[in-house]
Amino acid sequence: TQLLEQSPQFLSIQEGENLTVYCNSSSVFSSLQWYRQEPGEGPVLLVTVVTGGEVKKLKRLTFQFGDARKDSSLHITAAQPGDTGLYLCAGADSNTGKLIFGQGTTLQVKP
Amino acid sequence: DAGITQSPRHKVTETGTPVTLRCHQTENHRYMYWYRQDPGHGLRLIHYSYGVKDTDKGEVSDGYSVSRSKTEDFLLTLESATSSQTSVYFCAISKDRWGQGTQYFGPGTRLTVL
């Protein structure tokens, strides 16, 4: 069974600080997605990374896919209260394409 | 935003009663999915559909059944609800199989089984 381990599970920081969330597995994925979820809503796709070593930027968010396509990171620069939410990574199984989700990282950014 | 609605949004029921959750889409996407979300587990796939009347099991399908008689509707049924099925249920849709990474999620249904 493929597993995606996210760390940390909880993160509480002050506005303006930087942070990194990690998503790790022993399995290779054909692609990896990051979603953001707000309370009472469904997850919303932020980015998809496909190529090993790929880096994508979305304003203050930087996403990186590991060279071996087994891990990924999400870095937020100068966090804002609006970044508060649950961040989920999901890997697409190399054989079936099914999405395997990590447990999620709950981020709280205090003003 | 993708046109996905779920009903009901909240439900409280008793152990042993049947429950049906509905997912309705207006995007005409072929693929539809039911997930459950529990603390510490992320999202886990229950069942999915790859077309009208075509469905298959996910990783946590025991105790659940699904039906899809129309492209736009995907129903999830708990034949006899148990307390372990207390969860938040999300429907998702995609144009391509598994969405090639892009699945659009509905707002969720919070189900409590007493």
Side-chain angles (χ1 to χ4, degrees):
Chain A
T1 302
Q2 291 182 305
L3 290 174
L4 266 176
E5 298 288 337
Q6 272 187 253
S7 62
Q9 290 192 11
F10 301 98
L11 197 52
S12 181
I13 61 173
Q14 293 295 132
E15 181 177 0
E17 293 184 5
N18 301 331
L19 67 116
T20 302
V21 177
Y22 299 94
C23 183
N24 296 300
S25 177
S26 58
S27 303
V28 175
F29 294 101
S30 58
S31 67
L32 197 133
Q33 295 75 43
W34 284 93
Y35 290 81
R36 179 166 170 264
Q37 184 179 13
E38 297 195 28
E41 299 182 8
V44 175
L45 181 69
L46 294 174
V47 76
T48 298
V49 285
V50 179
T51 307
E54 183 176 2
V55 176
K56 282 192 174 180
K57 292 190 175 183
L58 187 64
K59 297 183 180 177
R60 294 176 292 100
L61 278 61
T62 301
F63 305 85
Q64 184 163 7
F65 201 12
D67 290 342
R69 292 186 287 131
K70 293 182 179 181
D71 54 82
S72 181
S73 64
L74 158 60
H75 182 79
I76 301 179
T77 303
Q80 304 294 314
D83 295 327
T84 293
L86 176 68
Y87 290 82
L88 294 159
C89 65
D93 183 283
S94 298
N95 295 318
T96 66
K98 286 184 182 180
L99 288 186
I100 309 297
F101 283 85
Q103 316 98 305
T105 295
T106 299
L107 172 64
Q108 180 186 44
V109 182
K110 301 175 185 176
Chain B
D1 290 343
I4 310 169
T5 57
Q6 291 185 233
S7 59
R9 292 294 313 278
H10 303 270
K11 185 170 183 66
V12 180
T13 191
E14 293 188 351
T15 298
T17 60
V19 175
T20 295
L21 308 182
R22 180 181 182 238
C23 176
H24 178 78
Q25 60 144 329
T26 58
E27 305 296 320
N28 201 37
H29 282 359
R30 177 179 175 184
Y31 299 90
M32 299 185 75
Y33 316 85
W34 277 108
Y35 292 90
R36 61 177 289 174
Q37 186 174 40
D38 304 289
H41 289 278
L43 286 157
R44 291 182 291 175
L45 183 67
I46 305 171
H47 281 281
Y48 63 99
S49 170
Y50 46 97
V52 174
K53 297 185 179 179
D54 292 323
T55 65
D56 205 349
K57 296 179 179 180
E59 61 179 306
V60 291
S61 60
D62 287 349
Y64 302 95
S65 62
V66 290
S67 65
R68 191 170 178 200
S69 58
K70 298 185 289 184
T71 298
E72 57 266 36
D73 290 326
F74 193 31
L75 303 180
L76 176 70
T77 297
L78 290 65
E79 301 291 346
S80 178
T82 67
S83 58
S84 65
Q85 293 175 312
T86 292
S87 186
V88 181
Y89 291 86
F90 287 98
C91 172
I93 65 173
S94 66
K95 185 184 299 185
D96 304 311
R97 186 175 178 83
W98 302 113
Q100 302 298 318
T102 303
Q103 293 187 12
Y104 300 97
F105 286 82
T109 294
R110 182 173 293 276
L111 176 67
T112 302
V113 184
L114 302 175

